[in-house]
Amino acid sequence: MLDFNIQTETANFYDPSDEEVRDIEIEIREDPLTGKTSRILSKPLEISEDPDMSDVDKKGFCPFCPENIDDVGARDTKILSGEKLERNEAVLLANVTPYSEHSLVIKLTEEHYLPLDEFREEHFFDGLKLALAYLKKMDLESDISPALIMNYLKPAGSSVIHPHMQMLVSKSSMDYQRRIIESAERFYKEKDENYWHSLLQKEKDGKRWVGKTGDLNWITAYAPRGFEHVKGITLEHFIEFDDQRLKDLSQGIIEVLKGYNDLDRNTFNFSIFIPPLNGKERFATVIDMITRTNLDRFYRADDFAMPKLMDEPYCNRTPEDLAEKMKSRF
Ligand SMILES: [Zn+2]
């Protein structure tokens, strides 16, 4: 059994502009796997209806644009002996700012910039296929958990606008991966069941259910780790994905991005949790997708001291409301 724990607090203040006392409710939810808390505010995030995107047009030098990529795109030497992996528009290269022993970038599109509703399924299919090919070449150690991540546009932390993913393969798991692995192992030991299997049974057709793309299940996160947090889950291990499963994942990503566009959002992050090969029965392949504050001329960072230093995420829409809005895309 999963626990969906929630506490609420009510703040209030006197608003002199209309001489009213307002009550504002804050939900504090616990992630059912890790217990990590998250705050859901009832006040919507303020976003401009007409953001100034001139940053995107001021192109400058781009290492991933077709005229530059062969001259400046760094090549992986550890596994690919200085070769690059390519598939249609996608190119896998070494990251010149590495975060782990194997640190790759995967350029996804010919276009330098795409609005969220113009990404195509094949962009992600080809990129994911290259990531998978790299992992298969490297003879992955069984306790390593690789990660695929994407930062799109400056508010999402990307230094390069041109759409690209990153893959990190480190001997040392990142903090989030470690928490997920330890919590899922504990859950399996205590309940004799895969956590995500239990989660999907509980969430299927419920208030946070979004839909399916093939074998991938899409829900909104009970305790969101950012704005518009959507999760794609399959019990299948990424390393065993066939073309159909890569297509299912790519299609889901595209639908979520279109859903974000429907909500007037223009930037996003995702991370794909790829579990270690040992103990596959205890884990799942999980993609977490969130939006960030919109790119705008004077956009504000959403990572203020509470999420950044107090390690407490927040969002401005309930997961149940988000699921309702996302459903139409699935
Ligand atoms: Zn470019």
Side-chain angles (χ1 to χ4, degrees):
M1 285 295 283
L2 295 182
D3 295 321
F4 290 97
N5 294 327
I6 187 166
Q7 291 177 51
T8 53
E9 290 182 11
T10 308
N12 56 57
F13 54 81
Y14 171 72
D15 185 348
S17 63
D18 56 6
E19 300 181 343
E20 290 279 343
V21 173
R22 300 198 188 289
D23 287 335
I24 310 272
E25 196 166 271
I26 304 119
E27 288 186 5
I28 304 155
R29 299 190 184 194
E30 282 178 25
D31 181 88
L33 178 62
T34 62
K36 185 169 175 60
T37 48
S38 167
R39 290 176 189 241
I40 299 165
L41 320 185
S42 49
K43 193 179 168 190
L45 185 73
E46 282 174 30
I47 50 171
S48 160
E49 283 172 17
D50 186 24
D52 178 352
M53 303 273 286
S54 52
D55 245 22
V56 164
D57 297 330
K58 277 193 215 114
K59 193 172 149 190
F61 177 80
C62 172
F64 296 150
C65 269
E67 65 274 21
N68 298 325
I69 193 162
D70 281 339
D71 295 332
V72 301
R75 315 285 173 85
D76 175 81
T77 47
K78 287 219 166 191
I79 301 296
L80 302 177
S81 313
E83 295 298 308
K84 53 179 180 169
L85 286 184
E86 284 183 276
R87 188 184 158 86
N88 300 317
E89 295 178 35
V91 184
L92 182 145
L93 296 161
N95 194 343
V96 291
T97 311
Y99 297 92
S100 54
E101 185 177 344
H102 301 271
S103 202
L104 296 315
V105 289
I106 305 166
K107 187 267 294 185
L108 296 178
T109 64
E110 282 300 292
E111 293 99 330
H112 179 72
Y113 161 73
L114 282 178
L116 300 198
D117 60 340
E118 289 183 23
F119 280 93
R120 297 190 298 276
E121 192 182 297
E122 56 267 29
H123 292 142
F124 289 100
F125 178 88
D126 291 332
L128 292 166
K129 182 114 177 152
L130 294 185
L132 190 55
Y134 186 94
L135 291 178
K136 285 185 171 167
K137 275 179 195 287
M138 71 175 290
D139 194 19
L140 206 55
E141 286 170 46
S142 65
D143 58 345
I144 285 183
S145 177
L148 273 160
I149 60 176
M150 183 158 175
N151 315 312
Y152 191 52
L153 303 183
K154 284 183 183 172
S158 185
S159 58
V160 176
I161 285 164
H162 204 125
H164 63 285
M165 297 191 291
Q166 292 187 38
M167 183 161 68
L168 295 94
V169 189
S170 173
K171 286 196 174 74
S172 177
S173 290
M174 283 177 272
D175 183 66
Y176 176 71
Q177 294 170 307
R178 195 159 38 237
R179 275 186 286 131
I180 293 288
I181 291 166
E182 287 172 3
S183 304
E185 281 175 340
R186 196 178 318 123
F187 188 93
Y188 189 81
K189 211 168 151 187
E190 283 170 11
K191 325 255 180 185
D192 199 23
E193 198 170 40
N194 180 303
Y195 165 75
W196 289 273
H197 176 75
S198 304
L199 179 69
L200 290 173
Q201 273 191 326
K202 189 117 183 173
E203 296 289 50
K204 177 88 178 131
D205 298 324
K207 285 183 289 189
R208 289 175 293 277
W209 180 253
V210 174
K212 278 180 86 103
T213 51
D215 188 49
L216 257 103
N217 305 275
W218 297 85
I219 60 173
T220 58
Y222 174 73
R225 302 187 68 231
F227 307 138
E228 277 78 58
H229 187 169
V230 179
K231 297 172 88 74
I233 301 168
T234 172
L235 298 188
E236 204 173 320
H237 196 286
F238 181 73
I239 206 91
E240 287 160 4
F241 274 22
D242 60 10
D243 280 0
Q244 184 55 51
R245 202 62 70 239
L246 288 175
K247 237 172 133 163
D248 297 341
L249 175 55
S250 310
Q251 190 199 344
I253 293 171
I254 293 297
E255 298 309 334
V256 172
L257 295 185
K258 285 181 179 158
Y260 287 165
N261 188 70
D262 294 343
L263 296 169
D264 295 321
R265 313 313 299 270
N266 65 23
T267 175
F268 69 94
N269 291 110
F270 70 58
S271 70
I272 301 177
F273 171 75
I274 302 172
L277 290 166
N278 57 17
K280 283 184 213 166
E281 71 284 357
R282 300 192 290 274
F283 303 118
T285 303
V286 182
I287 181 168
D288 290 292
M289 300 182 70
I290 57 167
T291 63
R292 306 295 299 272
T293 37
N294 273 1
L295 180 64
D296 202 345
R297 187 167 178 218
F298 298 112
Y299 69 85
R300 85 170 167 91
D302 51 33
D303 221 3
F304 68 102
M306 186 184 75
K308 185 79 181 169
L309 294 174
M310 309 299 282
D311 207 9
E312 181 87 338
Y314 73 102
C315 66
N316 301 64
R317 191 194 304 277
T318 66
E320 295 73 27
D321 177 45
L322 176 62
E324 199 54 47
K325 293 193 158 52
M326 278 284 164
K327 249 180 217 165
S328 62
R329 285 287 176 190
F330 279 75

